[in-house]
Amino acid sequence: MNPNDLWWQTLADGPLLLALFDAGDRLLQANAAYRQAWGLESEALPDWIEMVEAARQAGAGPVDAPERRSRMAQRGYEQAWRDGRRLWWVEQRTSDGGLALTGVDISALAGPRPLTGQLLSTQAGRELLQALLADPRAWPLSVATLATTADPAELLARIRGEDGCMRLEDGRLLVMLPSTGPAQAAALGERLGALLLTEAVWGETAAALLARA
């Protein structure tokens, strides 16, 4: 077997996000994890500008518009994504002028987390939720959804210090309940007046969990 084929098959679904672009910034190949992150079809080979614009229109991809492609031989950088993840990227120029990219989810690594005891914005809440989803110490994990009429000040006074509270885009409130078994989460949700209690599934992203909630 071709060593290159073995490499791509082994890492087809992650955990690394792998892609190779030609000198004109058109995608040559990418593994499933990279395609899923950018919302690309399995056979699509778009150029970089098309990828970025399509992701922006779909509400996916990085929070901030990516910088213009660097001509440096190699560089690494951190990037916040709309689904709440933090990704670390390494870009390396190939001998023919192309670009090889390797990305890894670093959401669970120690880093600044939003302060507890305050209502988080949608983006800050997504980042905290993604960090909890990737942290084995936060499991079991559930989220409780409350009506738009719920009082944030009253809610923040009643939840635990490790629980996060965010405002969803439709105005509802969402409380994160890390390290909480299903029975305890159900009791907490009832006391808080939750409309819906959703148990997280290991391996899903913050965006997927919020869609279910």
Side-chain angles (χ1 to χ4, degrees), residues 49-101:
I49 295 177
E50 291 173 348
M51 275 180 52
V52 172
E53 179 59 22
R56 185 191 65 80
Q57 292 182 3
V63 174
D64 298 319
E67 302 174 5
R68 294 187 63 182
R69 297 295 220 179
S70 172
R71 305 310 300 183
M72 296 173 59
Q74 182 173 321
R75 69 164 183 158
Y77 56 92
E78 183 177 333
Q79 197 174 57
W81 276 53
R82 289 190 175 94
D83 60 10
R85 288 183 295 174
R86 289 187 299 128
L87 299 179
W88 178 261
W89 293 99
V90 174
E91 297 182 353
Q92 186 167 0
R93 283 289 166 188
T94 59
S95 58
D96 61 358
L99 190 68
L101 283 85

Side-chain angles (χ1 to χ4, degrees), residues 23 40 47 65 74 97 111 116 124 137 150 159 161 163 167 182 188 197 202 208:
L40 298 175
D47 66 30
Q74 182 173 321
T116 57
R137 297 168 299 179
I159 64 176
D163 298 339
R167 176 76 70 182
L188 282 170
L197 186 70
W202 180 256

